[in-house]
Amino acid sequence: MTDKERGPRERMVFSAAQLIRRDGVAATGMRDVVAHARAPRGSLRHYFPGGKEQLVNEAVDWAGRYAAGRVARFLAGMPEPSPSRLFAAMAAQWIDEYGSAGFEAGGCPVAAATVDCSEAAESTREAAAAAFARWTAPVARALADMGVPAARAEPLATLMISALEGAILIARAERDVRALTTVTRELGPLLDAAATPRS
Amino acid sequence: MTDKERGPRERMVFSAAQLIRRDGVAATGMRDVVAHARAPRGSLRHYFPGGKEQLVNEAVDWAGRYAAGRVARFLAGMPEPSPSRLFAAMAAQWIDEYGSAGFEAGGCPVAAATVDCSEAAESTREAAAAAFARWTAPVARALADMGVPAARAEPLATLMISALEGAILIARAERDVRALTTVTRELGPLLDAAATPRS
DNA sequence: GCCTGTCTATGACAGTCGTCATACTAGAAC
DNA sequence: GTTCTAGTATGACGACTGTCATAGACAGGC
């Protein structure tokens, strides 16, 4: 999560994602991004000739890849994986961050890009859709591996991500992780039941 | 849904909600709002001395009340109400709009305000939290009336709204109602099962 | 040496934003 | 009539925004 000697270009994408998830796309200026990334402003045009739209799209793309990577790591570190445990791990990432660092860091950058750019920048909308897809895929694959029938793996993965994104929204508004813990508790049994069709 | 001889003040709040849910808060200018509402720009300061923040807060408030009102009307028009049918009706409102009018109108204004203002305007964050609460309350009450145990009524209502908000996000990004129909189908059985603890 | 390409630095551009100051109209109160 | 108030109209202000033009730094190739 730290800078760790990445190039200026990568730092800018990373900083853009952080600022977007906190303030939204429109409220995030390119000058803010370079300042946050401690990157030279003169390089903005050089690395992102497509302007702000390109920078935002790459930030969304980065966020989608990051989310997918987290899912893989959750699964790798799980001795006895189950659908409810996977969902709990995904939600716990947010519960833990809000609990330890507060709500200042904001929500999901993909959600922010969807809200701010869906009707204005077609390419950003596509980037957000791609990010959601890249995030859903490993979840669905994991569910299938856990015994969820193939036909229900992807729908359930969509349900998981929908509930998580919505709970993040409510948690931010309430400044309380209640919504996140609630959906974890209420959705878990349903998910596990789908993994064992015959009991 | 039409203007129908409301006063200029109310029209501005209504227009603000419409523009916010489409473009986000930051991208919605006050000049856009008065133009969309065909209201006199000179009245902006008069009706909303608190500036943009007040206008946004009232739009969020209006959206919360509107959502709560819709829930009541769904229930009133339902011969044999059940949790799954209520959720299906809530989701169908979005599925129908996206199917008939396209995605141009945008998503949920409360979600947009949460994403854009949570870390910048405390009062708007509170307005969003209040809107979610006002929306959740009638849903929870309806669930309790349908036989859901009191302790689970509100958590399930939160789950319903979380899943709905998340599915709206995904549907907008994908320009496809798939996510909305999916959560409706997958969440229904769980909701109805909670209404009949003993079968 | 020179040349070339990548990267950086800086300032200016035109546009938009929310806000505010000022002045005008209409109508009711008395 | 006058006075007061709600509502409207208009223009300007400073502070941004994203974009762009221009120039400089600094390497590697030859």
Side-chain angles (χ1 to χ4, degrees):
Chain A
M1 267 297 207
T2 54
D3 286 357
K4 197 84 172 84
E5 230 30 71
R6 277 181 291 217
R9 206 202 122 103
E10 202 172 347
R11 285 207 316 274
M12 287 193 247
V13 174
F14 179 69
S15 290
Q18 285 193 267
L19 296 181
I20 286 170
R21 90 190 185 105
R22 189 184 65 190
D23 301 318
V25 172
T28 298
M30 317 210 71
R31 289 165 173 85
D32 302 333
V33 172
V34 296
H36 183 275
R38 272 185 292 279
R41 185 166 85 88
S43 305
L44 251 179
R45 236 192 134 47
H46 187 254
Y47 288 123
F48 307 96
K52 184 178 188 178
E53 190 168 328
Q54 180 185 356
L55 176 57
V56 171
N57 292 359
E58 296 204 20
V60 170
D61 203 65
W62 179 89
R65 252 193 307 262
Y66 173 78
R70 290 296 302 224
V71 170
R73 288 186 40 193
F74 289 149
L75 291 167
M78 219 174 271
E80 300 177 30
S82 78
S84 70
R85 274 195 267 268
L86 172 58
F87 185 72
M90 292 165 62
Q93 179 183 4
W94 294 92
I95 296 172
D96 293 347
E97 177 182 357
Y98 288 151
S100 68
F103 291 85
E104 292 83 23
C108 169
V110 185
T114 302
V115 163
D116 278 350
C117 309
S118 269
E119 318 306 321
E122 177 76 4
S123 72
T124 304
R125 203 215 82 232
E126 286 170 5
F132 278 129
R134 205 188 331 251
W135 188 9
T136 307
V139 175
R141 205 175 316 119
L143 291 180
D145 290 346
M146 295 170 188
V148 174
R152 293 223 341 186
E154 218 227 308
L156 277 183
T158 297
L159 172 61
M160 289 166 67
I161 293 177
S162 293
L164 182 58
E165 285 284 3
I168 292 170
L169 278 179
I170 298 179
R172 283 187 76 189
E174 297 185 343
R175 284 229 189 287
D176 189 323
V177 296
R178 177 194 66 87
L180 284 159
T181 58
T182 296
V183 298
T184 304
R185 190 176 341 108
E186 295 294 335
L187 210 51
L190 168 74
L191 298 172
D192 283 342
T196 58
R198 304 279 150 263
S199 73
Chain B
M1 267 298 208
T2 54
D3 286 358
K4 196 85 172 86
E5 231 29 73
R6 276 181 293 217
R9 206 202 121 103
E10 202 173 346
R11 285 208 315 274
M12 287 193 246
V13 173
F14 179 70
S15 289
Q18 284 193 269
L19 295 180
I20 286 170
R21 90 190 186 104
R22 189 184 66 190
D23 300 320
V25 173
T28 297
M30 317 210 71
R31 290 164 174 85
D32 302 334
V33 172
V34 296
H36 183 274
R38 272 186 291 280
R41 185 165 87 88
S43 304
L44 250 179
R45 231 186 138 52
H46 187 254
Y47 288 124
F48 307 97
K52 184 178 187 177
E53 191 168 327
Q54 181 185 355
L55 176 57
V56 171
N57 292 358
E58 296 204 21
V60 169
D61 203 64
W62 179 90
R65 253 194 306 263
Y66 174 79
R70 290 296 303 222
V71 170
R73 289 187 39 196
F74 290 149
L75 291 167
M78 220 175 269
E80 301 176 30
S82 78
S84 70
R85 275 195 268 267
L86 172 58
F87 186 72
M90 291 165 63
Q93 178 182 5
W94 293 93
I95 297 173
D96 293 347
E97 177 181 358
Y98 288 152
S100 67
F103 291 85
E104 291 84 24
C108 169
V110 185
T114 302
V115 163
D116 278 351
C117 309
S118 268
E119 318 307 319
E122 177 76 4
S123 72
T124 304
R125 202 216 83 231
E126 287 170 4
F132 278 129
R134 206 189 327 255
W135 186 10
T136 308
V139 174
R141 206 175 315 121
L143 291 180
D145 290 344
M146 295 171 189
V148 174
R152 292 229 311 168
E154 217 226 309
L156 278 183
T158 297
L159 172 61
M160 288 166 67
I161 293 178
S162 293
L164 182 58
E165 285 285 4
I168 291 169
L169 277 179
I170 298 178
R172 283 188 77 188
E174 296 184 343
R175 283 229 190 286
D176 189 323
V177 295
R178 177 194 65 88
L180 285 160
T181 58
T182 296
V183 296
T184 303
R185 190 177 340 110
E186 294 295 336
L187 211 50
L190 169 74
L191 299 172
D192 283 342
T196 59
R198 304 278 151 265
S199 72

